[in-house]
Amino acid sequence: MVRSLSPGSYLYIRNSSRILKLSTDMKNKYIQFVLLGFILLLTSCSVDPTYYSQVVPSNFYQSQDNVWQRFYRPFTHWRWYVGTDEGYWRCEELGTDEFCLPTRGSDWYNGGQYQLFHHHKYYDQMDAIGNGWSGFGMGVALAWDTYRDLSTVDFDKLGFASGTRESMLAQLNALVASFYKDGLDLFGGVPLYGPQDLDIKGRSTAQETFNFIDSLLNVAIPQLPVKEELGGAENGTINRAAGAALKAELYFNAISYIDKDMFSEAATICQDIIDGKYGPYDLDDDWTTTFGFNNETSKEIIWSIPSQNAKLQSDGDHWGTMMPYNYYKYLGNLQNSNADNGYCLLPSRDPSGELYTYHLGEPYEKFADGDVRKQNYVYEGNGKYRGMFVIGRLVNPLDTTFQCLGAREYSGKVITIRDQVSYFAQLGSSKYPDVASLPSTIATAEENSGVRLIKRSPRPTQDDASLMYNPDIPVIRLSEIYYMLAECKMRAGDKAGAAALINKVRKRYFVNGQDPDPVTPANLDKYRMLDEWLEEFLGEGRRRTDLRRWNAYVTEDWWDHKATNDANINLFPVPASAINANNKLEQNPGY
């Protein structure tokens, strides 16, 4: 019989047997605990539960396993929010010069919201914006709830190593800072809560939110664990370098967040990270090491989302919405890899094949022809692959029986993915008698329109299906630190120093490091810098932030998107659902 619970208490069900510890390895422990959540894995024949009507942390957390479970709960939400849910990613990528979700015939119209997103016609009931708000807000709530519980646990009594408690609480502080930084980026000032705050609050100012994030990181960073081994396995832990990188990101974008130039402060932190002050990291020589099937030992990754087949699966490329119908057949009928043919890169060429001439956009053609990434994706076997794009006639060159067939306009035919968006299947009709008559807009796509990206979720063929989902999702990597420092130097007038940093990253993408178009002081301007950010971080959920920092998000044209020149659009509207739930919230200006 379960008794009624008093307000604020919890109901926990605990079996008399202990929790099975599946592995002592940190990554496997993370994977197993997150997968289990709060479900207790039984290890004896007894299945009779014990019920508690009044439980507090001090009498529930009776083993290290209990504590680890509780600690990782907000990280499961973070993993979903960053690596699985598409809300935040859509806010950062759609409506920019990188990605769109076009209307493909009768597919993906969805009330016109993706067309409106593309044209910056935001409103307060858009799904992506609602998920962006709830995603960061729920993360804060879960992290502080965990913080309150673990603050009362006697870590010494449970036999934890010295410093474990401090490390856990510091990581929770840093995780909250990361969530709040996302909220600041998307919406400006947000309601601010500490671990003991339970009352409903209104929004703070952007400056107050910025200061709060900064204070959380100041407290957290000295207590965060330091990575000791170059290439040591990443497991989702927030190491000291990750905390420092979050602080650098905050300062680097302060010009957008609080209209304050803090590039010199960001540069100092970036240089310290590169110099190894916060642990040993280095650039990977091969980009597929950073994103590949065993990338937990990448030298470059500073913070990542752990992923492992059938245990803790994450999909950083939002495969199901990105890839063409039937692309799994190109991968040898790879099971559980179906897709719905949605997202694509903005086109580089008009229907006649001519390159667009806008400063921004044309993402595929921004890559030099000799860039090893600018190839059609092919899985080569034994965990090796080449290329990161889906383009051209989709016949696998290693086995020509592996073919991706169309499902709409090109049903039953091998599909050819174009770096163009138009009604090519209707060419020659009375409505579109010639190429000159073909439209090219987000509303006039077909199933083969737009290049697709395979980057953070490479896929094997069916023969190696067990490798699927093994790539961890990089969230912060050292190349970002190089690029932040480069932009800081550029803004300070040191274009030669900036070029050297960018070229150090670029050279790995060319055979023998022979870059045909290196950055130079002469060619480094606002648009070249934005192009470099695009090429290095394409699809990694940050493009809107980079455009905002350069005052390009609402002031520039690309493809069929026209500048609004409305500064209010730099922030999204607070979702109607949030305001309906909390009448203390005020809407952003312009909505």
Side-chain angles (χ1 to χ4, degrees):
M1 189 85 179
V2 181
R3 301 176 185 173
S4 61
L5 301 179
S6 62
S9 62
Y10 302 89
L11 172 65
Y12 291 90
I13 301 176
R14 178 182 175 85
N15 189 268
S16 57
S17 60
R18 65 179 177 86
I19 301 171
L20 175 63
K21 181 179 287 187
L22 298 175
S23 172
T24 57
D25 175 78
M26 188 69 170
K27 178 177 180 180
N28 286 339
K29 176 182 281 190
Y30 180 96
I31 290 170
Q32 298 294 350
F33 283 154
V34 170
L35 192 62
L36 289 174
F38 291 112
I39 300 173
L40 303 183
L41 186 62
L42 307 182
T43 59
S44 73
C45 295
S46 172
V47 293
D48 296 328
T50 300
Y51 295 97
Y52 297 90
S53 62
Q54 297 287 340
V55 178
V56 295
S58 59
N59 65 25
F60 174 71
Y61 298 111
Q62 298 180 8
S63 72
Q64 291 190 12
D65 289 342
N66 295 153
V67 174
W68 282 114
Q69 275 187 302
R70 189 69 181 100
F71 171 68
Y72 282 127
R73 175 60 188 96
F75 285 87
T76 67
H77 172 79
W78 169 74
R79 167 188 161 268
W80 166 83
Y81 164 67
V82 177
T84 302
D85 182 62
E86 298 176 29
Y88 185 82
W89 188 91
R90 286 179 178 179
C91 288
E92 283 291 327
E93 294 288 358
L94 302 186
T96 77
D97 63 331
E98 286 192 350
F99 281 88
C100 65
L101 208 172
T103 301
R104 301 178 183 276
S106 60
D107 293 337
W108 291 110
Y109 177 65
N110 292 52
Q113 66 172 302
Y114 302 121
Q115 295 182 28
L116 293 173
F117 222 97
H118 178 70
H119 293 300
H120 291 184
K121 296 180 179 179
Y122 304 124
Y123 60 93
D124 61 6
Q125 297 184 58
M126 285 180 156
D127 293 340
I129 295 171
N131 288 348
W133 179 278
S134 62
F136 93 83
M138 183 177 291
V140 169
L142 289 170
W144 282 148
D145 192 44
T146 299
Y147 190 102
R148 284 192 298 272
D149 277 3
L150 297 189
S151 293
T152 67
V153 172
D154 188 336
F155 279 69
D156 293 335
K157 183 178 179 180
L158 294 177
F160 278 101
S162 176
T164 303
R165 177 182 185 277
E166 291 76 13
S167 172
M168 284 187 178
L169 297 182
Q171 289 185 63
L172 291 170
N173 269 310
L175 185 62
V176 170
S178 176
F179 283 127
Y180 268 133
K181 186 169 68 68
D182 290 346
L184 176 65
D185 189 280
L186 297 182
F187 303 102
V190 296
L192 298 178
Y193 293 90
Q196 306 306 323
D197 294 330
L198 300 177
D199 293 335
I200 295 175
K201 294 185 176 185
R203 297 176 65 183
S204 298
T205 66
Q207 182 68 64
E208 289 167 340
T209 304
F210 183 98
N211 292 345
F212 188 66
I213 297 166
D214 197 23
S215 68
L216 289 172
L217 292 172
N218 286 338
V219 170
I221 290 172
Q223 298 294 335
L224 292 172
V226 178
K227 187 172 183 175
E228 297 180 355
E229 178 186 358
L230 180 64
E234 287 293 324
N235 51 48
T237 298
I238 305 179
N239 287 314
R240 196 169 298 178
L246 288 170
K247 193 177 183 70
E249 290 173 344
L250 182 70
Y251 291 174
F252 186 58
N253 290 292
I255 195 74
S256 301
Y257 298 156
I258 56 172
D259 196 25
K260 182 178 180 181
D261 180 336
M262 298 187 69
F263 292 108
S264 62
E265 292 89 339
T268 298
I269 299 172
C270 290
Q271 189 65 65
D272 285 343
I273 294 173
I274 292 171
D275 291 343
K277 178 179 177 180
Y278 299 102
Y281 300 88
D282 201 356
L283 296 171
D284 289 322
D285 297 326
D286 183 340
W287 74 277
T288 64
T289 300
T290 312
F291 295 96
F293 296 94
N294 296 304
N295 66 338
E296 67 272 12
T297 57
S298 161
K299 296 181 296 183
E300 181 170 326
I301 292 177
I302 294 175
W303 192 21
S304 61
I305 298 172
S307 184
Q308 189 169 343
N309 188 289
K311 292 182 179 179
L312 192 69
Q313 298 178 170
S314 297
D315 179 11
D317 283 336
H318 308 298
W319 185 278
T321 312
M322 180 86 73
M323 291 302 121
Y325 303 117
N326 300 320
Y327 189 73
Y328 70 95
K329 293 183 178 181
Y330 178 88
L331 298 174
N333 294 310
L334 179 62
Q335 296 178 16
N336 302 314
S337 203
N338 294 330
D340 294 323
N341 198 42
Y343 303 130
C344 66
L345 301 185
L346 267 62
S348 303
R349 298 179 182 274
D350 67 20
S352 69
E354 293 297 316
L355 279 170
Y356 290 110
T357 57
Y358 299 106
H359 286 300
L360 300 178
E362 302 95 63
Y364 178 73
E365 286 297 342
K366 287 289 170 63
F367 290 80
D369 288 341
D371 191 320
V372 296
R373 296 168 295 180
K374 195 181 180 181
Q375 302 180 60
N376 200 5
Y377 179 84
V378 180
Y379 178 75
E380 299 174 326
N382 297 316
K384 301 293 184 181
Y385 65 94
R386 65 176 183 261
M388 71 177 194
F389 295 106
V390 177
I391 187 172
R393 191 166 185 267
L394 298 186
V395 175
N396 192 310
L398 302 184
D399 187 333
T400 57
T401 65
F402 296 170
Q403 303 177 354
C404 178
L405 304 181
R408 296 291 190 270
E409 294 90 350
Y410 304 94
S411 179
K413 302 176 182 178
V414 175
I415 196 169
T416 298
I417 299 297
R418 295 173 176 264
D419 189 16
Q420 298 161 287
V421 172
S422 193
Y423 289 144
F424 288 100
Q426 300 180 42
L427 185 60
S429 67
S430 58
K431 189 173 184 180
Y432 303 113
D434 51 37
V435 171
S437 66
L438 287 175
S440 183
T441 73
I442 193 169
T444 60
E446 55 186 20
E447 67 174 316
N448 69 346
S449 294
V451 179
R452 317 305 163 84
L453 180 71
I454 300 180
K455 185 177 184 181
R456 298 193 294 179
S457 295
R459 289 288 206 274
T461 54
Q462 181 58 31
D463 289 344
D464 287 345
S466 62
L467 294 179
M468 189 164 70
Y469 294 115
N470 275 6
D472 294 351
I473 300 174
V475 176
I476 300 175
R477 49 196 180 94
L478 190 64
S479 56
E480 180 188 357
I481 309 303
Y482 270 79
Y483 275 49
M484 282 197 287
L485 182 56
E487 186 174 315
C488 291
K489 285 180 178 290
M490 172 190 174
R491 289 175 180 268
D494 182 9
K495 287 190 174 184
L501 289 164
I502 296 170
N503 290 333
K504 186 172 182 179
V505 177
R506 281 181 60 94
K507 69 178 183 180
R508 62 185 172 188
Y509 302 119
F510 302 94
V511 176
N512 298 322
Q514 298 301 304
D515 185 348
D517 185 25
V519 179
T520 68
N523 66 26
L524 183 56
D525 61 9
K526 166 183 176 177
Y527 296 108
R528 180 62 190 257
M529 190 72 237
L530 280 169
D531 284 350
E532 293 303 323
W533 280 108
L534 180 149
E535 291 179 47
E536 181 62 23
F537 296 96
L538 182 67
E540 295 187 48
R542 62 168 298 133
R543 185 57 174 175
R544 171 184 160 276
T545 300
D546 292 331
L547 291 173
R548 280 189 63 200
R549 192 176 58 256
W550 281 101
N551 191 32
Y553 184 59
V554 300
T555 62
E556 296 281 345
D557 298 341
W558 49 80
W559 183 34
D560 71 328
H561 166 91
K562 299 302 180 185
T564 64
N565 291 303
D566 181 356
N568 291 323
I569 303 300
N570 280 312
L571 296 175
F572 291 109
V574 177
S577 57
I579 293 177
N580 290 337
N582 177 4
N583 61 13
K584 293 185 177 182
L585 295 179
E586 295 182 2
Q587 185 55 271
N588 275 328
Y591 294 103

